Amino acid sequence: LVGVWLGMELNLYGFLVIMNPDGHYIPEPCVKYFVVQSTGSILMLGGFVLLMQQFVAGGLMMSVVGTVLKSGISPLHSWVPSTIKNSSWLAGGLMLTWQKVAPLILLSMIMPLGGMWMVIGLMAMIGAVGGLNQNSVRIMSAYSSFVHTSWMLLGLTWSTVVFMSYFLVYSVSVGLFFYGCSLMNKLSMMSQLSGAASGMGLMMLMGMPPFLGFLAKVLVFLMSSSAIIVLCIMGSVISLKY
């Protein structure tokens, strides 16, 4: 467990450099991300210490709360949209994809199944409703990621292979969409490329039938035997609106 914590800390310091490579960006997202991740790390480490001292219930609760905060999932999710909004396209894309892998896998190991169902349902509904009244592409992407995270967590409760398959499809979708958005205002000759990349990424994120996003959802749907899948489907349908 301490090795997992150490890996997350090294990841944090590397990612802070990516968030602000030249020192020209607004420092607010870096500071907010650092404070949130450090708080989560302190809670995790405190939980691990309590577990070593045989305080199982308290240690497990602290570890779960710290991991939930670091991964930015409900109910400790409110820092994600504001941080994504002020970050660069590259940092935002990595925050929504790569940075979620380690905390989510750790969470599936230490969180009771009942708590996992509750988190999945909350994520699906908050992601669906939260993005409806937004006008920022980055914030809408953050709320969309909540819905996709609920699907990923649901897949993770049954199979790591299903989780990784969904995660890879989601990462490619976000990468294409954010790459297209980052090109939008740079060169007029790039407009067709950026439009095609953004359109392809959006279709995959929406889970429309011919695209990989739909196949990933079908894979999770076939694997899952829990009624919580209904909330995930409702969340996806509502998020189609934005």
Side-chain angles (χ1 to χ4, degrees):
L1 287 176
V2 176
V4 173
W5 173 83
L6 183 61
M8 287 185 181
E9 289 302 291
L10 292 172
N11 171 272
L12 167 62
Y13 293 124
F15 188 66
L16 286 174
V17 177
I18 295 175
M19 285 187 79
N20 199 359
D22 305 318
H24 296 153
Y25 288 113
I26 306 169
E28 181 198 343
C30 295
V31 174
K32 187 177 289 187
Y33 188 78
F34 176 73
V35 170
V36 167
Q37 296 293 319
S38 299
T39 307
S41 298
I42 291 166
L43 288 170
M44 280 176 63
L45 195 58
F48 296 161
V49 170
L50 287 177
L51 284 172
M52 290 176 192
Q53 300 298 324
Q54 307 302 317
F55 296 109
V56 177
L60 199 59
M61 183 173 287
M62 278 186 72
S63 302
V64 166
V65 170
T67 311
V68 165
L69 181 62
K70 284 179 79 70
S71 52
I73 62 176
S74 177
L76 304 175
H77 63 277
S78 56
W79 63 271
V80 177
S82 58
T83 309
I84 295 287
K85 181 183 179 182
N86 296 317
S87 300
S88 65
W89 289 109
L90 173 63
L94 287 173
M95 210 181 298
L96 294 180
T97 53
W98 179 249
Q99 295 299 105
K100 287 180 179 287
V101 177
L104 289 182
I105 292 177
L106 177 63
L107 195 65
S108 71
M109 294 177 181
I110 63 176
M111 192 177 218
L113 198 57
M116 191 69 87
W117 296 144
M118 186 178 70
V119 165
I120 290 170
L122 278 172
M123 289 292 286
M125 290 297 99
I126 288 169
V129 176
L132 290 175
N133 62 345
Q134 304 295 335
N135 56 10
S136 165
V137 172
R138 286 183 171 93
I139 293 181
M140 283 191 276
S141 300
Y143 280 106
S144 171
S145 81
F146 293 159
V147 178
H148 288 284
T149 302
S150 70
W151 283 88
M152 283 189 270
L153 280 172
L154 186 61
L156 191 54
T157 56
W158 300 104
S159 166
T160 309
V161 176
V162 173
F163 165 74
M164 288 308 297
S165 303
Y166 195 105
F167 173 77
L168 285 172
V169 172
Y170 174 64
S171 299
V172 170
S173 309
V174 171
L176 280 171
F177 179 55
F178 276 30
Y179 175 68
C181 290
S182 68
L183 292 178
M184 283 292 181
N185 299 321
K186 288 188 177 178
L187 294 170
S188 57
M189 62 185 291
M190 286 286 201
S191 60
Q192 287 186 338
L193 173 63
S194 62
S198 297
M200 183 72 75
L202 261 182
M203 287 295 186
M204 288 171 70
L205 284 172
M206 289 164 70
M208 301 305 281
F211 294 94
L212 282 174
F214 176 72
L215 296 177
K217 283 185 167 63
V218 168
L219 186 62
V220 176
F221 182 80
L222 293 176
M223 284 292 295
S224 174
S225 59
S226 170
I228 203 76
I229 190 75
V230 176
L231 285 177
C232 293
I233 293 170
M234 283 174 59
S236 291
V237 171
I238 296 170
S239 68
L240 286 177
K241 168 74 169 59
Y242 60 84

